[in-house]
Amino acid sequence: MSHLLEISNLSVSFLVRKKWLQAVTGVSFYVDQGETLGIVGESGCGKSVTSMSMLHLLPKTTSRIDSGSVIFDGTDIAGYSDKEMSRIRGRRISMIFQDSMTSLNPVMTNGAQLVEAIRCHDRDIGKKEAEEKAISYLAKVGIPSPEKRFREYPHQLSGGMRQRVMIAMALIQSPSILIADEPTTALDVTIQAQILELMQELKATSNVSIMLITHDMGVVAEMADRVMVMYAGNVMEVASTKEIFSRPMHPYSQGLLASIPRPDKTVGKLSSIEGTVPTLQNMPKGCRFSTRCGKCTSKCIESCPPLFRKDGHDVRCWLYADGEVVDGTSC
């Protein structure tokens, strides 16, 4: 069965002090129609870089795609020109960015930005018809008094309202895939719950596929069908959400879940993963998690493991070397 979106061996580099340093290495995954894939990991693990490189949104002067294919609906869009990608972005694949205040134009009304998103892909639609469609989408995402909000500017809305405007803009062309990059960042818990409920409703009614990028494991547990764990530009583990939470196999996945406060656990010191994500200039020679892993061996330090398939999980760890190799890409 073919997948709606399939990424194979995607590697991305950035120009740092006149040297090209690889930030994402050999990333492969897929998304099926109507599925939600959760992509998790600490800040700096390559989650946003992976999604933005797919859509050619990274600056060309300081970044490049070293290798890989991006098969969307049967076509490789990795080599598309800007003009060709403009037909895909917003219309077939949409993105909700992390910060709605900086993503929305402060000198344009909310309505003008929505109308622009409609008319840039559908030049035959009249201005009045586009305005009516924009107002209907503001109502669809739960914004009260949509006609009034249509005429207001982003700074006149709350953080939750601005995020809803971003969601309306992302959905207004009825895309096949919605990339949600930290859609609930900086929102209070009540608004966060409303945004997640809205996304679930939209998925149920429109069968849109969602790539949910987050470091919040609670959000992933509620939203995702499958989970991909990333660390330092590598895929570390992929499995169903149920499997990841009930039986994480990679030491990094185990560390992420152990650091979540649990009401059923005895109160005491919270677990944490010692150290920080390595910089591009100081990537470990072997497994990229080796410098922080409590189960590290000499083999981990010297050699990067491929992705093994073991008990329904794809895991990049030498602990599961008796499993089937499904991706031999090195770190």
Side-chain angles (χ1 to χ4, degrees):
M1 184 184 73
S2 61
H3 306 293
L4 177 61
L5 176 70
E6 187 169 6
I7 312 298
S8 298
N9 194 30
L10 180 66
S11 297
V12 181
S13 294
F14 287 94
L15 186 62
V16 181
R17 296 177 183 175
K18 299 182 180 181
K19 289 184 178 181
W20 288 98
L21 302 175
Q22 206 160 79
V24 169
T25 304
V27 169
S28 299
F29 63 92
Y30 67 86
V31 182
D32 287 327
Q33 184 70 53
E35 178 186 39
T36 297
L37 174 68
I39 304 179
V40 303
E42 296 167 274
S43 296
C45 285
K47 306 183 299 296
S48 296
V49 169
T50 298
S51 63
M52 293 183 76
S53 62
M54 285 165 39
L55 294 177
H56 298 201
L57 292 175
L58 295 174
K60 293 182 179 179
T61 55
T62 56
S63 66
R64 71 184 185 193
I65 296 178
D66 297 322
S67 65
S69 61
V70 181
I71 310 296
F72 172 62
D73 202 14
T75 303
D76 189 354
I77 63 174
Y80 268 24
S81 65
D82 289 341
K83 185 176 181 179
E84 290 172 318
M85 281 305 300
S86 67
R87 302 191 192 106
I88 299 288
R89 290 192 296 254
R91 191 179 188 94
R92 305 291 308 284
I93 305 175
S94 285
M95 190 165 184
I96 304 172
F97 295 94
Q98 288 189 32
D99 188 347
S100 58
M101 194 63 209
T102 57
S103 299
L104 293 171
N105 190 327
V107 299
M108 291 177 66
T109 63
N110 302 309
Q113 295 181 68
L114 286 165
V115 168
E116 182 181 60
I118 296 169
R119 300 189 76 185
C120 72
H121 290 291
D122 188 357
R123 300 189 182 279
D124 294 330
I125 191 171
K127 184 178 180 181
K128 186 176 180 180
E129 186 181 351
E131 288 178 354
E132 290 173 352
K133 183 176 181 179
I135 291 170
S136 72
Y137 266 79
L138 289 177
K140 187 175 183 179
V141 298
I143 291 181
S145 306
E147 295 86 355
K148 178 185 176 183
R149 305 303 181 189
F150 178 89
R151 295 187 295 270
E152 291 181 341
Y153 290 86
H155 73 271
Q156 294 177 280
L157 305 182
S158 67
M161 288 277 207
R162 287 194 298 269
Q163 198 67 294
R164 288 171 187 265
V165 172
M166 288 290 297
I167 293 173
M169 191 179 299
L171 292 171
I172 209 158
Q173 291 291 343
S174 301
S176 301
I177 296 179
L178 177 64
I179 302 173
D181 191 353
E182 302 281 6
T184 56
T185 295
L187 300 180
D188 63 58
V189 67
T190 304
I191 301 301
Q192 181 184 93
Q194 292 174 1
I195 295 296
L196 295 178
E197 183 180 359
L198 170 63
M199 290 176 64
Q200 290 280 47
E201 289 175 1
L202 293 170
K203 177 185 172 184
T205 56
S206 62
N207 201 35
V208 64
S209 301
I210 300 175
M211 281 176 56
L212 179 62
I213 300 170
T214 183
H215 59 265
D216 190 329
M217 298 299 284
V219 170
V220 168
E222 183 177 344
M223 293 285 294
D225 300 305
R226 287 186 303 118
V227 179
M228 180 172 78
V229 181
M230 289 189 69
Y231 180 79
N234 274 171
V235 174
M236 291 299 183
E237 185 169 4
V238 185
S240 69
T241 303
K242 181 179 179 181
E243 282 287 304
I244 286 286
F245 278 85
S246 64
R247 195 167 51 89
M249 295 175 68
H250 197 283
Y252 181 58
S253 305
Q254 294 167 0
L256 287 177
L257 290 169
S259 63
I260 301 173
R262 294 272 301 272
D264 57 334
K265 296 286 185 179
T266 304
V267 176
K269 184 179 178 181
L270 289 174
S271 176
S272 64
I273 303 174
E274 298 295 329
T276 58
V277 179
T279 63
L280 298 184
Q281 296 92 333
N282 297 294
M283 285 293 176
K285 177 182 176 183
C287 174
R288 292 187 174 178
F289 189 58
S290 60
T291 55
R292 304 173 68 190
C293 183
K295 300 177 181 178
C296 178
T297 66
S298 58
K299 188 173 186 178
C300 302
I301 296 171
E302 292 298 323
S303 178
C304 175
L307 206 60
F308 298 105
R309 182 159 294 164
K310 177 82 171 179
D311 300 331
H313 293 234
D314 290 350
V315 192
R316 191 179 297 278
C317 182
W318 286 118
L319 292 173
Y320 308 100
D322 58 335
E324 174 193 357
V325 176
V326 291
D327 186 351
T329 305
S330 61
C331 296

